[in-house]
């Protein structure tokens, strides 16, 4: 049987990336972190002196850089992102690139360029895609759609802990303010805004730990008639 296309959407800090990675590992599926693609556009734009508000130049950039994930290095690890052949996995995680990714992702020419990339990556099925518009725009016919949410407080706590663990010196309140601003921009844009697909299963992770989230995701995939490879 063909593997499913699993779409996981939701705001920053809802637990998408870790949960999606663990789910993909459990199912033997490929993980496609679509936010990494927008992050790559923001990173390369910054390096080349292209303004994050210059829609046309960013679209041209997104159409010409080569974006590819190489297989995950370790069990359940994050698949490295290759930009024009070079591993940029660490550079795309810088806090200013989070802001840049949210800015560049609002421009229709950027979204149009990355749409084809994402569809090609998921065309074979057997994949978990995580992002903001996977179930609504990229794969509106996905076999399984989940919309992950959590309270702003819980999401800010998680992101704060992640940053502290990574050695960053940050203030918890600014993390929360920045997160709220990014969500408002992602949900308020005209093209492919962050919102649940009508047929997505909502999953509020506020009171769940990671294992609980992953178990529930596995169950949702099973209920849709798919199983591990
Ligand atoms: O998931 P992330 O934090 O890596 O995403 C970075 C930004 O990219 C996010 O603020 C909005 C944008 N994004 C998007 O618009 N559509 C997606 N499918 C994934 C991410």
């Amino acid at each position: 049987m063909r593997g499913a296309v699993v779409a996981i959407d939701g705001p920053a800090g809802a637990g998408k990336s870790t949960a999606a990675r663990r789910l993909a590992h459990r199912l033997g599926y490929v993980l496609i972190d679509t936010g990494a693609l927008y992050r790559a556009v923001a990173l390369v734009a910054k390096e080349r002196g292209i303004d994050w508000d210059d829609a046309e130049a960013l679209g041209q950039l997104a159409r010409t850089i080569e974006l590819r994930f190489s297989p995950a290095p370790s069990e359940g690890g994050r698949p490295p992102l290759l930009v024009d052949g070079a591993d940029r996995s660490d550079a795309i995680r810088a806090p200013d690139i989070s802001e840049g990714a949210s800015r560049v992702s609002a421009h229709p020419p950027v979204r149009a360029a990355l749409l084809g990339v994402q569809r090609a990556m998921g065309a074979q099925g057997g994949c978990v895609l995580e992002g903001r518009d996977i179930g609504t725009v990229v794969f509106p016919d996905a076999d399984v759609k989940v919309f992950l949410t959590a309270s702003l407080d819980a999401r800010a706590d998680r992101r704060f802990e992640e940053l502290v663990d990574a050695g960053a010196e940050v203030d918890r309140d600014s993390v929360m303010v920045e997160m709220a601003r990014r969500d408002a921009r992602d949900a308020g844009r005209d093209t492919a805004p962050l919102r649940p697909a009508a047929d997505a299963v909502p999953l509020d992770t506020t009171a769940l730990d990671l294992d609980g989230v992953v178990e529930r995701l596995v169950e949702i995939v099973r209920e849709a008639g798919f199983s591990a490879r």
Side-chain angles (χ1 to χ4, degrees), residues 21 38 44 51 54 100 113 134 139-140 155 161 186 209 212 219:
R21 203 152 69 216
Y38 291 95
V44 176
D51 196 287
D54 187 343
I134 309 304
F139 283 102
R155 294 189 290 113
E161 273 168 35
D186 295 344
D209 63 7
E219 206 174 273

Side-chain angles (χ1 to χ4, degrees), residues 34-35 38-39 93 101-102 105 111 131-133 182 186 189:
T34 65
Y38 291 95
R39 286 170 178 274
R93 297 288 146 202
S102 175
S105 71
R111 302 206 74 84
R132 303 291 189 288
D133 63 336
R182 192 145 76 93
D186 295 344
R189 67 184 175 221

Side-chain angles (χ1 to χ4, degrees), residues 113-128:
L114 296 187
L115 187 59
V117 174
Q118 296 169 81
R119 286 187 176 155
M121 286 178 169
Q124 304 301 316
C127 54
V128 176

Side-chain angles (χ1 to χ4, degrees), residues 78-156:
R78 206 194 268 278
L81 176 67
L82 306 183
V83 183
D84 288 331
D87 185 347
R88 306 307 309 273
S89 311
D90 291 334
I92 60 168
R93 297 288 146 202
D96 67 323
I97 300 302
S98 300
E99 170 73 13
S102 175
R103 293 255 294 273
V104 305
S105 71
H107 302 303
V110 174
R111 302 206 74 84
L114 296 187
L115 187 59
V117 174
Q118 296 169 81
R119 286 187 176 155
M121 286 178 169
Q124 304 301 316
C127 54
V128 176
L129 293 105
E130 58 124 330
R132 303 291 189 288
D133 63 336
I134 309 304
T136 50
V137 175
V138 182
F139 283 102
D141 297 326
D143 301 290
V144 181
K145 296 183 189 179
V146 181
F147 195 80
L148 278 195
T149 52
S151 69
L152 177 61
D153 236 16
R155 294 189 290 113

